Amino acid sequence: MFTGIIEEVGRIRQAGSGHLRIDCTQVLRDVHEGDSIAVNGICLTVTSFGRAFFTADVMPETVRRTSLAELKSGDPVNLERALAVSARLGGHIVSGHIDGTGKIRSLREEGNAVLMTIEAAPEILHYVVEKGSVALDGISLTVAAVTEQDFMVSLIPHTREITNLASKHAGSLINIETDILGKYVEKLIAGNPAGTRGRSGGLSRAMLSEYGF
């Protein structure tokens, strides 16, 4: 589990053949083989590490769902270690499991902020809610507006300075993870599919009345 608060921007040293090597320093503090580190929002397992790098293996399914295939040597990537139980939850609950990619449609300055609009597929936009949370390349952000084709977030200068968003432009792909809490709520309200364990049927007036609501 992660929070979407980026700790460091690392650099890709080697990418390809299901293997990544990333130059970094800060996220290597107290690192062990088998630890989880989010790379552009993707939860990856540390397979080896040195004084200023770590490596991770990448499954084909991960490549299909994310922007990893576009990474090349020297590209910046957002890094975050898994959440410690004693840490503050500064962003929102981020699983590191990417729903898909979106494409940056535009970047527009508004005062000291930058409004970034992202095109996304309907199945992703279904879970994007105005004033809700979304993780973009692993960065916890608040949704400013949503339409049937895209959604918008507002970036403060600090966010662009300490993440890879400074290198993004119109047309760039970006990893999207929607708020997992919304998915759980939707499934609980809709009910379990026939044949699965547990209660069948969704939230209804009769069910609410039965439980005293």
Side-chain angles (χ1 to χ4, degrees):
M1 183 183 297
F2 305 90
T3 68
I5 304 300
I6 304 305
E7 295 185 90
E8 178 181 8
V9 175
R11 293 277 174 181
I12 296 292
R13 178 182 293 187
Q14 179 185 351
S17 301
H19 183 78
L20 284 178
R21 180 167 170 151
I22 299 169
D23 290 337
C24 55
T25 54
Q26 188 170 340
V27 297
L28 297 177
R29 292 181 300 175
D30 70 16
V31 72
H32 302 86
E33 288 187 15
D35 283 355
S36 295
I37 295 179
V39 179
N40 278 356
I42 307 159
C43 180
L44 297 178
T45 299
V46 176
T47 55
S48 67
F49 63 93
R51 190 164 58 92
F53 75 91
F54 75 92
T55 66
D57 293 330
V58 182
M59 298 181 295
E61 168 68 5
T62 303
V63 175
R64 282 192 295 268
R65 283 185 172 266
T66 70
S67 62
L68 281 181
E70 293 200 335
L71 291 178
K72 57 186 183 300
S73 181
D75 283 351
V77 287
N78 297 323
L79 303 175
E80 181 191 356
R81 291 171 293 178
L83 174 65
V85 175
S86 60
R88 292 184 177 90
L89 187 61
H92 71 285
I93 296 173
V94 177
S95 70
H97 302 150
I98 303 302
D99 293 300
T101 59
K103 183 178 290 186
I104 297 176
R105 172 174 286 179
S106 65
L107 292 158
R108 177 170 60 86
E109 292 186 5
E110 183 183 58
N112 69 334
V114 171
L115 297 176
M116 184 167 68
T117 302
I118 300 100
E119 299 176 7
E123 56 267 29
I124 291 177
L125 290 170
H126 175 73
Y127 295 104
V128 179
V129 180
E130 186 173 335
K131 302 308 177 188
S133 296
V134 66
L136 299 179
D137 268 5
I139 307 163
S140 175
L141 294 167
T142 300
V143 178
V146 188
T147 73
E148 293 182 354
Q149 293 82 34
D150 54 37
F151 65 95
M152 180 188 298
V153 294
S154 184
L155 309 173
I156 60 174
H158 178 73
T159 302
R160 297 195 74 197
E161 289 167 6
I162 67 165
T163 70
N164 70 343
L165 290 183
S167 66
K168 298 289 185 179
H169 52 80
S172 294
L173 283 183
I174 196 161
N175 295 321
I176 302 173
E177 181 187 334
T178 57
D179 192 346
I180 193 170
L181 296 180
K183 299 172 190 174
Y184 281 124
V185 169
E186 180 185 56
K187 184 166 185 178
L188 288 170
I189 290 176
N192 297 315
T196 61
R197 291 183 60 188
R199 176 180 57 82
S200 62
L203 186 67
S204 65
R205 185 181 296 274
M207 193 198 81
L208 289 174
S209 177
E210 179 183 354
Y211 288 95
F213 291 96

